Structures are given as C-alpha cells and as structure tokens.
Amino acid sequence: MKKLLFLSFSIILPIALLSQTLTDKHIVASKPFKSHTDVVFNTSKSAPFWSEDFANGIPATWVNSTAPWVYRGPGTIPGTNVGSQGAYMANQTPIASATQQNGFILFDSDYYDNNGTQGNFGGGMYPAPHNGELMTDMIDLTGYNDVTLMAHSYFRTFQGQAFVAFYLNGLFVSQIEVHSDLSVNDATPTDAIALVRFPQAVCNQPNVQMKFLFDGTTQSNVNGAAYYFWMLDDLALMETPAYLMDIIDQNHGGWDIGYASTGGFFGMDFTFKPQIQSDANPYMFEMTIANVGANPLHGIQMNVEVLDYFGSVVFNSSSDTTTLMPLDTANYLATGTYSPANTGVYNMKFWANADSLPSSAQSDTSYMWGIITDSVYARDYDSPGGAWRVGRQCGGLQLGNMFDIYAPDEITSVSAYVADYSVVGAEMYGALYEYDTTSGSFLLLAQTDDYVIQAQDRDNWVTISFPQAFNAIPGHYMLTIGGYPHPTDTFGINVSGPAEQTMSRIVDDGSGCNLGSATTFPAWYWITDCPMIRMNF
C-alpha cells in the first residue's frame, strides 16, 4: 500500500481535500504500462466453479435496488464503450475487463446525483446519499471449504464504499470492504482485479448469496456523500488456491520504504530526470506484494531488470526474501540502486516469485520507464489526459508539482502542456516555491513574467523563463503555473499519470472559485493526477 504522507498544512485536511465541487479534473486512473492483472496461483483446484460475465445482461433472478445497478452491453444505450455518465467523470472510461465488449455492470452514483450536469447536486433521479445493492441468486458451495471471488473491479470514490456482503439461507452473515485503501477522489486502475475471500460461515453451504453494495450513506463530509461509481465484470468463484500472490504496485522512486527512514526526501517517481539529479538520486526499486492464498508464501522476492533503448540489460537486482502469512501485504525494496551513466530512455521490468510456487511460476511482468535528460525534470507520463482549469472566470488559480532537488543546480524555466480548450490571449505565469516540512508552508522564491497564450500553444508545450536563473540547493520545491480571473480568457493545464499523495497541488487564491471548504487563503489542495508541469535546469 502507498505510504500516506500526512504533512502539516494549516488549511488542509487530507481526509477531505477535494470534493465534487472540483469540476475540471478528468481522472487518469493508472500508470502507463502498469498491469493490475498480475495474479499468480498454483493449485489443482483453482479453476472457477461458478462465473458470470454478463454476456446476457444482469441475470433476471438477481435482486436489484431502487437506485439500480445497470447493464452496459452491445445493444444498450449507452454501450460498452461508456462508463460513468456523471458530471465529474466526464471522460466516461469503461472498465478494461477481459470481456468488456460483451457487457459489464455499473452503479453510477455520480450520475444518479447530478444527472450529468456540473453543480446540479441532488438534481438527479436518485439523489445522494444513496446505496446501490445487487444480490445474486442462491449459489451452492457444497464441497468447497475455502472460496475466493475473483472479479474485474473498477472503482472510484469520494465518500462511497464498495462491499461484498454474504448471506446464508437469506440471512446476512458478514461483509467485506473492497478497495478500502483508496483516498478521497482516488480510483483503481481500469483493469484492477479484486480478490475477496469468503467468510468460513458460508463455505461448504448450499444456499449462499453475494450482494454487491455501493454504500453511499455511511460516509460523508461537509461536501456531501456517495460518489463516484463501481463497475464489475467477469465474476468467478474458485476454491482458494493454496498459494496465491498478488502484485499491488511498484515504483522506481523509493516512495514506500526506500526513503521512509531518511526523513530527507519523499521518494517520488521522476519520469524525466537530469543526469546530475540522477547521479545524486539513483533509481530505487520497490514492489508491494500480497498473499491472498490459503497458506503462507515462503521466499517471496521482488525482481527488477533495466534495459536501455536498444533492449540490452544494463542492471538487475532483487529484494531480500520473506514469508508472507495469508491476507498479509508487504513492501519489498531491491537491494541495488541504479544510476544510468548516459542520457536516454530506460525501460524497467518488475516481477516477483516465491519458493512456495514452482520454478516455472512468477508474477506477470509490470513495466515502467524513465528518461535521463540533460536538463528536464518531470513526473508526468508525457501523454495528456484530463486537465485542470487554472485561469478561470471565478478566479486565478495555481497548479503545480513538488520536486525534490538532490544536487545543487540552476532552475532556468518552467514548461507546461496547455489544454486544447485554452483561449488565445489568456495570460499565465510560472512560480517557484520552497517547501518547509516543519511548518508546512510555501515560500515564494521566483516568478516569471506573464506569458500570453498563442494559437500554436494549445495542445502543446510552452516554456516560460524566469528573469534570472535560480540557484537551487538540495531540498523540497513546488513549481506552479498560475492564471488570472477573467470572464473569457481562460486556460487549462493537462495532467498525465497518477500523483503520489500530497505531491501535486492546486491553489485556491480565495477570489471566488471555492474549490473546497477552506476559509484561509491561499489554500493548497492536493490532487490525485500529475500536472504536466516540468522544471528545467
């Protein structure tokens, strides 16, 4: 699981930083090249004995709630290429399941509350707070003493929770929360797989039911309840394998444990890293691995291999081995770090193995990449996703990224990817702040002159120079793009890839945008996607 950085900010509470009122963000759900289907198991009893891929819709014998789960299929409107229709999930990305094209199911809390219109809170057909409940018919588990549900599950939360509840002979037994590790406004990848272990009380019983519950009534904050959606597909029940390993995540920055004991730096993933910073901060490789099988997994080990642009292996390393008990999760750190000797593209391959698995079995390989540069420092994935409006009618905001500087250097300019809807003639600027971890405050160090957006700047990179180079010493810095309130001259900056918690921010200046519940300004809210804002040395 990701390390939670509860930093000290006088105006930020990490539990409720962003809400439905942040209207301009389109979520980018997962890191490029990262697979979340990398589950490995070894048992002769792992073949599913019950399954449902919704090729024929929601079974007529299942019981739906008043605020219903809906079916997306080849003949429905909308169809299988549309996910949520809510106002705050405007990209409508569907689940990326194996059988998505023959249909999947969805509880669309966002849409049910606002009918797809921003600001129309409570104006939908089933206003929040609300629950979405879908119960299967009876399933015979006779002869199966330990059962696991495997399902493709795409979930995004504001104050909603996802549960699988279990019933025996029509009576409630217990429920298990799915995706409980997500923070406010976070989402799983579109291809995430959920593994849910059945309670022993219902195993080896003939009359068992599952209920898929989107709970939008239990949790709330000052900005409301429920939101956003839960999509499911390819449900399968199998006898819990003796050995079942799940790869939760990986990184090349040392975010989880690599820098946890140093207190000096955050350990973020930098996708573009200047040679001088790379030499001072080599790649540090980590994986998060879970044992979701019936037995302990012995000798679990993560492995990493780095290839250069020509496909030649230039580095490899592994972690120490450990034993994981059933239902336990741990972070693994490769014993070696890697600092490329040359600029260029480097591809990273991550996988895991365990002594309890046969030598031929290992996890699927997950891929990441990094680029060593002469002068460009960045955390984005170089592929525009959604965007945040920065220069707006309601006020001038700032959008930015945190950067750890490991070696002294001169910061000369800021680059940003301007959204295609930006208005020609709108003005923007760059600003550099120093971040004080003790006080949680930001100190303005430098600001560029205003830059006027040109026609060719839209859907393109723009670089704005500081009046003079800033001599940066090792420490924490925030680099932002700012705008001004204007009735027509508005602009946005694209995002690309996920952001580590609290490491990307949007700043409300208090001029009327009201991004959250803060009463003291400027208010620094953290966001879950990485703005395409880069530092140049």
Side-chain angles (χ1 to χ4, degrees), residues 146-165:
D146 196 333
V147 178
T148 291
L149 165 68
M150 180 182 290
H152 277 280
S153 177
Y154 179 26
F155 177 67
R156 187 189 181 201
T157 182
F158 167 62
Q159 292 292 305
Q161 295 172 280
F163 292 94
V164 179

Side-chain angles (χ1 to χ4, degrees), residues 36 40 43 47 49 111 122 145 178 201 232 236 375 385 431 440 448 471 479 486 531:
H36 282 253
V40 173
T43 174
F49 61 83
Y111 179 67
N145 296 313
V178 187
L232 287 168
S375 59
T448 70
N471 292 312
L479 187 64
H486 195 281

Side-chain angles (χ1 to χ4, degrees), residues 277-354:
Q277 300 301 323
S278 176
D279 292 343
N281 169 232
Y283 288 120
M284 188 178 292
F285 306 99
E286 297 179 336
M287 291 184 74
T288 304
I289 302 172
N291 178 9
V292 288
N295 295 339
L297 272 172
H298 300 288
I300 291 183
Q301 183 179 52
M302 71 152 285
N303 307 280
V304 63
E305 193 173 75
V306 180
L307 294 80
D308 64 15
Y309 178 79
F310 302 101
S312 300
V313 176
V314 292
F315 173 82
N316 61 76
S317 184
S318 300
S319 68
D320 294 332
T321 59
T322 68
T323 294
L324 269 183
M325 300 305 292
L327 304 182
D328 199 4
T329 301
N331 296 312
Y332 292 79
L333 175 68
T335 57
T337 61
Y338 178 57
S339 179
N342 302 302
T343 58
V345 179
Y346 293 86
N347 293 304
M348 307 166 195
K349 299 168 60 176
F350 296 77
W351 72 96
N353 55 267

Side-chain angles (χ1 to χ4, degrees), residues 72 78-86 89 91-95 104 106 108 154 229 231:
R72 296 273 198 270
T80 57
N81 292 323
V82 175
S84 171
Q85 294 178 283
M89 195 56 193
N91 60 357
Q92 300 185 338
T93 304
I95 191 170
F104 60 91
L106 159 71
D108 200 350
Y154 179 26
F229 60 81
M231 301 182 210

Side-chain angles (χ1 to χ4, degrees), residues 88-218:
Y88 301 103
M89 195 56 193
N91 60 357
Q92 300 185 338
T93 304
I95 191 170
S97 56
T99 66
Q100 173 220 335
Q101 288 302 313
N102 75 6
F104 60 91
I105 61 172
L106 159 71
F107 185 78
D108 200 350
S109 174
D110 185 343
Y111 179 67
Y112 281 161
D113 184 63
N114 57 52
N115 203 38
T117 301
Q118 293 184 2
N120 185 36
F121 300 115
M125 61 190 79
Y126 303 107
H130 49 220
N131 286 347
E133 303 179 8
L134 182 63
M135 181 179 280
T136 68
D137 48 15
M138 295 290 182
I139 302 171
D140 187 359
L141 299 185
T142 303
Y144 299 101
N145 296 313
D146 196 333
V147 178
T148 291
L149 165 68
M150 180 182 290
H152 277 280
S153 177
Y154 179 26
F155 177 67
R156 187 189 181 201
T157 182
F158 167 62
Q159 292 292 305
Q161 295 172 280
F163 292 94
V164 179
F166 300 93
Y167 291 76
L168 180 61
N169 298 316
L171 300 177
F172 174 79
V173 174
S174 63
Q175 64 185 27
I176 296 173
E177 186 172 3
V178 187
H179 309 307
S180 60
D181 59 332
L182 296 181
S183 301
V184 173
N185 278 347
D186 271 356
T188 69
T190 58
D191 64 347
I193 285 183
L195 297 167
V196 180
R197 191 94 165 264
F198 275 46
Q200 283 299 306
V202 303
C203 293
N204 201 23
Q205 297 293 328
N207 298 312
V208 177
Q209 292 170 285
M210 294 182 290
K211 177 186 285 185
F212 301 99
L213 168 62
F214 181 99
D215 184 347
T217 58
T218 300

Side-chain angles (χ1 to χ4, degrees), residues 370-413:
I371 299 177
I372 303 301
T373 70
D374 289 324
S375 59
V376 177
Y377 206 15
R379 290 172 33 221
D380 67 83
Y381 277 79
D382 202 36
S383 177
W388 278 100
R389 290 187 184 273
V390 180
R392 298 166 57 149
Q393 295 177 359
C394 60
L397 309 179
Q398 292 186 56
L399 185 72
N401 288 321
M402 292 287 293
F403 290 85
D404 275 338
I405 291 182
Y406 299 86
D409 209 339
E410 292 184 336
I411 301 171
T412 59
S413 62

